């Protein structure tokens, strides 16, 4: 409830229906009522049972006296502003939150205080022969007043909790920035900020790169020990102890509707390295080069990451090793490149290649003779065969996504004239 709402509620009935002269009849008895309320509160509410604590007892007395004074002033003058007492109780609510306590004790004390106040009102009404209708209105005013004080305290409590949560979130975002900084920050700086953010230092971490279309509603299910910043240009997470029991399934559930890549598990001070690989994995996944559903894990695609780590070098290697195909038509390039990759992967077994490609073995042997004529001794050299498998794997992955390599030959080759283009697009 806002301050305006509280003031509005207190400005309405039943205050205007109470005879104003009652205020002066009640006022001389306020000290007695205050003493009884404090004694009963300390007796019934354990958290307030501190009779030997001078400052705490003084604060309790101040609160009781202020409440009673406002109540009587309100009877005498229905236009008395409510802000002073509701602001006071908001401050009490903020203080309770700041001390890490719940509002249970405060609400209990408010109920006990109201009960004692009603007891004195009832006894005074009999002694003064106050009409039953007026007594009923006083009771309504007292209950309304209690509700407003409780609401003001709850509002202050919520404000303090929100502010504390916001500050803790800011600290955790700064910690995430520190962990992902390059060069790495010192462990002393990380430890200090982690302590301020109430984040236990893990032995290992894994970074998570999120795509721009992450679903915020799903990410609210993240465990509290995961550092997250979804406001960054590239939304990021850091997962402590990612290889712990049940952690993988937990992460998969939390990121179920997200485009996300998890970097390798690394020591805490190498989180930036894990993020670097996570982001490369995410980029390749978004291009379709890495085909995955759900959360993509870097460690399951290390060979692909290595191949695409530097695509300029990859193109240079393709230019060198696949130049013998340059003079062929695109359809011929595709058939021979597919056959050569299958041959390399099948241990150079023609029958196995035929099964993989679903063609007749004789067709495979014909293509292999063509490849021997084109590549010659390159097919006998293990290092060059390794290079060929790298570029052919990359070519297949790129073509599956409608991408390709267009490489201009700038040096003469025995079967490729200078200036010819190798077009690896289907």
């Amino acid at each position: 409830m806002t301050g305006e709402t509280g003031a509005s509620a207190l400005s309405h009935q039943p205050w205007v229906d109470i005879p104003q002269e009652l205020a002066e009849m009640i006022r001389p008895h306020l000290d007695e009522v205050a003493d009884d309320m404090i004694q009963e509160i300390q007796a019934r509410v354990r958290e307030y049972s501190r009779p030997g604590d001078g400052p705490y007892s003084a604060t309790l007395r101040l609160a009781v006296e202020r409440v009673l004074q406002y109540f009587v002033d309100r009877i005498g003058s229905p236009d008395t502003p409510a802000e002073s007492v509701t602001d006071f109780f908001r401050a009490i609510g903020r203080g309770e939150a700041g001390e890490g306590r719940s509002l249970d004790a405060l609400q209990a004390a408010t109920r006990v205080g109201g009960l004692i106040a009603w007891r004195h009102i009832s006894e005074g009404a009999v002694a003064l022969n106050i009409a039953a209708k007026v007594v009923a209105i006083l009771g309504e005013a007292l209950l309304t007043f209690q509700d407003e004080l409780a609401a003001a305290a709850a509002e202050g409590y919520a404000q303090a909790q929100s502010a504390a949560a916001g500050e803790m979130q800011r600290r955790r975002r700064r910690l995430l920035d520190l962990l992902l900084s390059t060069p790495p920050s010192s462990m002393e700086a990380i430890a200090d900020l982690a302590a301020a953010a109430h984040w236990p230092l893990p032995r290992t971490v894994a970074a998570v790169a999120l795509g721009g279309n992450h679903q915020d509603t799903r990410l609210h299910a993240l465990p509290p020990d995961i550092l997250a910043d979804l406001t960054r240009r590239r939304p990021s997470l850091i997962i402590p102890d990612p290889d712990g029991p049940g952690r993988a399934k937990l992460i998969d559930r939390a990121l179920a509707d997200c485009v996300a890549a998890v970097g390798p598990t690394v020591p805490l001070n190498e989180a930036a390295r894990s993020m670097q690989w996570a982001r490369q994995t995410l980029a390749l996944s978004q291009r379709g080069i890495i085909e995955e559903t759900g959360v993509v894990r870097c460690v399951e695609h290390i060979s692909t990451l290595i191949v695409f780590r530097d695509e300029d070098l990859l193109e240079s290697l393709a230019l060198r090793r696949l130049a013998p195909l340059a003079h062929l038509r695109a359809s011929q390039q595709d058939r021979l490149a597919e056959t050569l990759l299958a041959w390399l992967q099948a241990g150079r077994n023609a029958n196995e290649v035929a099964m993989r490609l679903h063609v007749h073995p004789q067709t495979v042997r014909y293509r292999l003779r063509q490849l021997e004529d084109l590549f010659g001794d390159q097919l006998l050299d293990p290092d060059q065969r390794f290079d060929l498998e790298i570029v052919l794997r990359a070519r297949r992955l790129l073509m599956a996504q409608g991408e390709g390599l267009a490489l201009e030959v700038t040096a003469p080759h025995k079967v490729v004239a200078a200036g010819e283009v190798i077009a690896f697009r289907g």
Side-chain angles (χ1 to χ4, degrees):
M1 181 179 291
T2 64
E4 291 76 15
T5 302
S8 175
L10 286 173
S11 66
H12 291 162
Q13 299 280 5
W15 300 103
V16 295
D17 294 329
I18 300 173
Q20 296 181 14
E21 60 269 20
L22 282 181
E24 297 309 315
M25 298 169 65
I26 296 173
R27 203 178 300 278
H29 304 283
L30 290 185
D31 288 342
E32 178 187 352
V33 177
D35 290 340
D36 286 352
M37 288 175 68
I38 292 169
Q39 182 178 355
E40 199 70 18
I41 288 170
Q42 289 180 332
R44 295 195 186 189
V45 185
R46 181 175 55 83
E47 290 83 352
Y48 288 87
S49 181
R50 304 183 189 180
D53 187 338
Y56 199 86
S57 296
T59 301
L60 176 59
R61 176 165 290 276
L62 174 63
V64 169
E65 290 179 348
R66 182 170 292 194
V67 167
L68 290 173
Q69 188 64 50
Y70 173 82
F71 187 77
V72 174
D73 288 347
R74 200 78 173 88
I75 292 174
S77 177
D79 294 331
T80 299
E83 284 77 5
S84 61
V85 69
T86 52
D87 286 349
F88 180 70
F89 266 74
R90 284 191 196 93
I92 292 177
R94 288 193 291 269
E96 293 295 286
E99 293 295 328
R101 295 188 291 264
S102 73
L103 281 179
D104 293 345
L106 178 61
Q107 306 291 33
T110 302
R111 289 192 296 271
V112 171
L115 177 63
I116 300 305
W118 176 244
R119 182 183 301 167
H120 279 272
I121 289 173
S122 301
E123 293 172 353
V126 173
L128 297 173
N129 197 27
I130 298 174
K133 179 179 180 181
V134 174
V135 175
I137 296 173
L138 279 168
E140 183 183 351
L142 180 61
L143 291 174
T144 301
F145 187 41
Q146 277 188 281
D147 287 345
E148 295 299 331
L149 296 183
E155 182 182 354
Y157 192 88
Q159 289 172 347
Q161 283 192 317
S162 177
E167 176 59 27
M168 194 60 63
Q169 186 62 33
R170 284 190 290 273
R171 290 176 184 174
R172 290 192 165 212
R173 287 175 179 172
R174 290 200 298 273
L175 177 59
L176 188 144
D177 288 338
L178 199 65
L179 290 170
L180 297 182
S181 63
T182 303
S185 301
S186 69
M187 282 305 301
E188 291 79 6
I190 292 172
D192 288 345
L193 189 50
H198 297 176
W199 192 67
L201 287 177
R203 186 177 61 86
T204 59
V205 295
V208 178
L210 295 171
N213 59 339
H214 59 272
Q215 303 293 322
D216 292 357
T217 53
R218 294 288 300 176
L219 289 177
H220 290 313
L222 287 174
D225 63 339
I226 292 181
L227 297 179
D229 188 353
L230 309 182
T231 64
R232 299 164 66 94
R233 183 173 60 87
R234 293 188 288 184
S236 307
L237 309 175
I238 288 183
I239 303 169
D241 299 320
D243 299 328
R247 297 289 278 178
K249 289 183 178 179
L250 184 149
I251 294 164
D252 286 344
R253 286 196 300 270
L255 302 177
D257 291 338
C258 301
V259 177
V262 181
T265 299
V266 296
L268 178 61
N269 62 342
E270 296 183 19
R273 182 167 64 86
S274 180
M275 179 58 78
Q276 179 183 11
W277 285 106
R279 285 174 177 157
Q280 185 177 359
T281 303
L282 179 65
L284 293 179
S285 177
Q286 290 175 324
R287 289 170 60 185
I289 292 173
I290 290 177
E291 294 187 13
E292 276 287 354
T293 57
V295 178
V296 185
R297 285 179 164 77
C298 166
V299 293
E300 298 173 2
H301 304 279
I302 290 178
S303 61
T304 302
L305 290 168
I306 292 172
V307 168
F308 285 90
R309 177 67 174 171
D310 189 324
E311 294 192 40
D312 288 339
L313 282 177
L314 180 61
E315 287 192 357
S316 178
L317 183 62
L319 169 65
R320 181 177 178 83
R321 293 299 176 220
L322 299 184
L325 300 177
H327 69 292
L328 302 177
R329 296 189 307 275
S331 59
Q332 290 179 298
Q333 291 179 17
D334 290 344
R335 286 194 297 271
L336 291 179
E338 179 185 48
T339 302
L340 180 55
L341 177 58
W343 180 73
L344 292 169
Q345 292 176 330
R348 294 173 286 169
N349 184 307
N351 290 329
E352 177 66 22
V353 173
M355 292 178 61
R356 289 190 177 204
L357 300 183
H358 305 290
V359 297
H360 196 278
Q362 197 63 31
T363 302
V364 172
R365 292 187 181 91
Y366 171 73
R367 293 180 186 175
L368 289 176
R369 284 194 295 271
Q370 287 182 288
L371 290 167
E372 289 174 357
D373 291 340
L374 290 168
F375 287 90
D377 292 343
Q378 292 186 55
L379 301 184
L380 303 178
D381 186 318
D383 291 336
Q384 294 193 42
R385 288 201 305 269
F386 179 71
D387 289 351
L388 283 168
E389 186 167 355
I390 288 174
V391 296
L392 288 168
R393 282 175 177 265
R395 176 187 183 277
R396 183 180 62 186
L397 290 170
L398 288 168
M399 290 186 65
Q401 303 309 314
E403 300 186 40
L405 303 173
L407 307 176
E408 183 178 352
V409 179
T410 56
H413 189 279
K414 65 178 181 179
V415 293
V416 183
E420 286 188 296
V421 172
I422 308 173
F424 298 131
R425 291 190 176 88

